[in-house]
Amino acid sequence: MDWHGWFSLGLAGAALLLMSSGRFAPHLVMMAALVVLSASGIIGPEQALAGFSNPGLITVVALFVVASGVHHSGGVDLLVHYILGSPKTVRGAQARIALPVTLLSGFLNNTPVVATMIPAVHAWSRKIGIAPSKLMIPLSYAAIFGGTLTLIGTSTNLVVNGQYQQLTGEEGFSIFAITQVGLPVAIIGVAVMLLVLPRMLPDRKDQQKFGSVKEFTLEVAVAFEGPLVGKSVGEAGLRELDRLYLVEIERDGSVVTAVPSEERLRGGDRLVFAGDTQAISDLLRINGIVPSVHDDEPSLSKDRAERRLVEAVLSPQSDVLGQTIRDARFRDRYGAVVLAVARGGERVPGNLGNIRLKPGDVLLLEARPAFVSRQRYNKDFLLINDLETEAPRHDRAWLSWGILVVLVGLAACGIMTMLNAALVGAFVMILSGCCTVGQAQKAVDVPVILTIAASFAMGGALEQTGAASYLAGAVFSLSDGHALLALLLVYLVVSVLTEVITNNAAAVLIVPVVLSLTSAMGVDSEPFVIAVMMAASASFATPLGYQTNMMVFGPGGYRFSDFIRVGLPMNVFIGLVTVGVISVVYGV
């Protein structure tokens, strides 16, 4: 291996460190690596850009649109209406969620599935009297298991298949090729989840989010020359608000705590409340109450009829992490004002403008309607819950399901390739009105697409320079030539990488190494590639390892330790089960 190989290996290591630090967005890191590899001449222009034309990547883009059609037509709501019912136990409730979500995630991207289910599960949890903390992790885990059922269950499977085709020149895997491994693993995984999780998950009934009881930190202001100026707290009706408590008043640099009802309000007073979403919505309707201002810019209090309340969960890749709300300047950056913040279901103490933002923080924002459409699939926010969103077009729900079934049937029967079936399905979703062109455009997760495409360049460089063969030799020596041990090592490496970087990037970086390893060992590469697909999806141990885990982190009122306690044993168990099933199916 010459300097090209060592340089590529060092660049891959640096990319892994940067992505695992959480300070840099994965797509920016991988695009920077692509530029360096191309500019240095290690790979040519065609190889640098090969990922952008890969059939697997284009299939992922088309399936984003298909999932958008099912989502916006109310297809998932249809499933919720007929399936959830009224279970009497926690285990029964988890089963009502897990079984349909697992099946649904086998054929749809699990991000819109989970995004749709979160508010539905919250409303349902209140109805049946079970804490969301008992239901949200099972929702995410079920979506993860579902992604392993078919080739289209998750973008990772399609991307790995596309890279496999590119590097080997073979046809690739059929839509149900992974099912013989994924189905038994999913059945065992869901069964163990339903057996163990009811006892292991926390019961935090007082920390339900999205319209239920929880403590937001809310800061508003008394409008200058407004009708509340000169009135006492009691006369203004601020002591009679349901599920909302006036914590303190900040005035001229001083703080009034344990606020008496006789306290007179002045223009510009900052009022700090603790309460739930619906109560906050009622508070903002009071004449004379306006959003607080955290910088020198005017607030968004003008044209209130054009604004709406939005709940957003900060992602690990958000640009505002580590900054205070004041320094982040939400109005300039996003066109929104932060009204409240919740972290782990608990009120964050101190002045709202001085709160430093962390991954998983739930922010209540007042913004224009366009904010939701712009930011729903932005890397800064993993979940945006528009509290005044328009209803989906339920008259198209059955049609969207029909389109999905036909799409899968065409691909499964070999009548069309997976790429063509997905493209036709996406076109028909838009043409039939299941989703609009605008919704289809917003459904395509551009950062994910860029990460995947750029990862192909890195994978190609590792393969071309001999770095992949070098790493394969290291794994070969560790396994002492035993195929089963090598399979276990491959699964372990991908599983660990998936917990610290994106699952797609982890999978694409390892595929060239796996192909070199199987070539050196003289064994079939298929079981090893399947192991890469499975390991890249089976990420349970941290909220950062898989997107759906982070999506349920805030709404479930979880702490980081909850995922470690529940997910780490699940990671180990599912890893052993997967390797065992692969060894039986393929005779490794």
Side-chain angles (χ1 to χ4, degrees):
M1 188 169 66
D2 60 10
W3 74 269
H4 294 92
W6 289 110
F7 184 83
S8 299
L9 206 56
L11 187 63
L16 290 175
L17 288 174
L18 290 174
M19 286 188 288
S20 62
S21 71
R23 298 183 61 186
F24 303 95
H27 69 284
L28 295 179
V29 174
M30 296 311 298
M31 286 297 295
L34 181 152
V35 171
V36 171
L37 290 170
S38 181
S40 63
I42 292 178
I43 57 176
E46 290 186 2
Q47 191 168 11
L49 301 177
F52 290 92
S53 61
N54 186 275
L57 182 69
I58 305 303
T59 305
V60 170
V61 174
L63 288 176
F64 273 131
V65 178
V66 172
S68 175
V70 176
H71 172 70
H72 288 290
S73 67
V76 179
D77 295 335
L78 199 67
L79 187 75
V80 171
H81 177 72
Y82 285 105
I83 298 296
L84 292 185
S86 301
K88 303 299 183 184
T89 64
V90 172
R91 184 171 287 110
Q94 291 178 351
R96 294 290 184 102
I97 294 172
L99 300 180
V101 168
T102 301
L103 182 62
L104 186 61
S105 297
F107 301 96
L108 287 176
N109 184 284
N110 50 22
T111 301
V113 172
V114 173
T116 302
M117 290 292 290
I118 284 175
V121 169
H122 260 292
W124 183 59
S125 69
R126 292 193 299 275
K127 178 182 175 182
I128 62 177
I130 295 175
S133 58
K134 290 287 189 182
L135 304 177
M136 289 297 170
I137 280 181
L139 170 62
S140 177
Y141 285 7
I144 291 173
F145 285 126
T148 66
L149 291 180
T150 68
L151 192 68
I152 64 172
T154 176
S155 60
T156 307
N157 296 348
L158 289 164
V159 170
V160 169
N161 184 53
Q163 192 183 30
Y164 177 77
Q165 291 173 308
Q166 179 178 308
L167 294 177
T168 63
E170 297 184 12
E171 290 186 4
F173 299 96
S174 66
I175 186 172
F176 292 115
I178 193 177
T179 308
Q180 57 186 337
V181 174
L183 182 59
V185 170
I187 291 173
I188 294 171
V190 170
V192 170
M193 182 178 79
L194 296 178
L195 181 66
V196 174
L197 293 195
R199 294 193 301 271
M200 293 188 67
L201 289 173
D203 186 1
R204 300 189 180 121
K205 291 186 179 181
D206 59 338
Q207 295 176 10
Q208 298 175 15
K209 298 187 185 313
F210 296 100
S212 187
V213 177
K214 67 155 173 206
E215 282 201 335
F216 260 125
T217 296
L218 169 70
E219 187 177 297
V220 295
V222 176
F224 288 98
E225 300 180 1
L228 299 185
V229 175
K231 288 187 177 181
S232 69
V233 170
E235 291 170 345
L238 301 182
R239 276 290 182 221
E240 302 170 359
L241 294 169
D242 185 30
R243 295 172 296 164
L244 202 61
Y245 173 69
L246 178 59
V247 179
E248 62 188 28
I249 298 177
E250 183 181 337
R251 177 187 297 152
D252 299 329
S254 61
V255 176
V256 179
T257 58
V259 184
S261 297
E262 297 77 22
E263 181 73 27
R264 295 285 171 180
L265 298 173
R266 303 178 190 175
D269 280 354
R270 290 187 177 183
L271 313 179
V272 179
F273 288 87
D276 73 10
T277 307
Q278 188 58 52
I280 288 170
S281 179
D282 295 339
L283 174 67
L284 292 175
R285 292 190 180 97
I286 296 177
N287 188 16
I289 293 292
V290 296
S292 184
V293 181
H294 303 299
D295 49 46
D296 296 330
E297 297 290 334
S299 75
L300 289 177
S301 58
K302 298 179 181 179
D303 302 322
R304 289 293 295 278
E306 298 180 14
R307 337 217 90 75
R308 58 181 57 184
L309 293 180
V310 177
E311 283 181 320
V313 180
L314 284 179
S315 81
Q317 286 80 40
S318 177
D319 290 335
V320 298
L321 295 182
Q323 299 183 42
T324 64
I325 292 177
R326 179 179 292 107
D327 293 339
R329 300 179 70 88
F330 267 75
R331 182 184 182 278
D332 293 338
R333 192 186 298 263
Y334 303 114
V337 169
V338 180
L339 301 179
V341 61
R343 181 178 298 158
E346 298 176 355
R347 187 174 75 87
V348 183
N351 183 284
L352 184 63
N354 294 330
I355 293 174
R356 291 199 175 273
L357 299 170
K358 297 182 179 181
D361 281 356
V362 184
L363 307 180
L364 182 68
L365 308 172
E366 186 179 50
R368 296 185 183 276
F371 173 86
V372 176
S373 58
R374 288 198 311 268
Q375 304 296 334
R376 185 178 291 278
Y377 297 102
N378 193 316
K379 69 179 178 64
D380 287 347
F381 305 105
L382 280 181
L383 174 66
I384 295 180
N385 184 31
D386 183 0
L387 301 180
E388 300 175 41
T389 188
E390 59 182 82
R393 301 181 63 181
H394 290 288
D395 58 320
R396 300 285 196 276
W398 288 110
L399 177 60
S400 67
W401 280 112
I403 294 171
L404 178 62
V405 170
V406 172
L407 179 161
V408 173
L410 291 174
C413 297
I415 299 174
M416 283 187 177
T417 63
M418 192 63 248
L419 171 62
N420 288 333
L423 289 173
V424 170
F427 177 74
V428 175
M429 283 288 187
I430 296 174
L431 194 65
S432 63
C434 292
C435 66
T436 65
V437 173
Q439 290 168 338
Q441 290 174 338
K442 297 178 185 74
V444 178
D445 195 332
V446 175
V448 169
I449 299 302
L450 289 177
T451 301
I452 294 170
S455 297
F456 274 93
M458 178 65 77
L462 293 176
E463 175 70 17
Q464 181 175 301
T465 60
S469 298
Y470 176 80
L471 292 175
V475 176
F476 182 80
S477 61
L478 283 174
S479 64
D480 198 24
H482 295 293
L484 184 59
L485 183 55
L487 184 69
L488 187 61
L489 288 173
V490 166
Y491 187 99
L492 177 63
V493 169
V494 177
S495 181
V496 171
L497 287 179
T498 299
E499 295 294 352
V500 294
I501 64 174
T502 68
N503 52 345
N504 287 314
V508 173
L509 290 176
I510 294 299
V511 169
V513 179
V514 165
L515 294 178
S516 297
L517 174 64
T518 54
S519 176
M521 296 180 68
V523 297
D524 184 13
S525 62
E526 183 172 331
F528 287 80
V529 176
I530 294 291
V532 171
M533 292 182 184
M534 297 292 294
S537 294
S539 175
F540 307 102
T542 71
L544 310 179
Y546 205 83
Q547 193 171 31
T548 58
N549 286 347
M550 180 53 77
M551 290 172 70
V552 302
F553 181 69
Y558 296 118
R559 303 184 180 98
F560 199 91
S561 58
D562 294 330
F563 276 87
I564 296 290
R565 185 177 65 256
V566 173
L568 192 57
M570 185 71 80
N571 261 21
V572 174
F573 176 76
I574 294 300
L576 294 174
V577 170
T578 301
V579 171
V581 171
I582 291 175
S583 66
V584 171
V585 171
Y586 290 95
V588 177

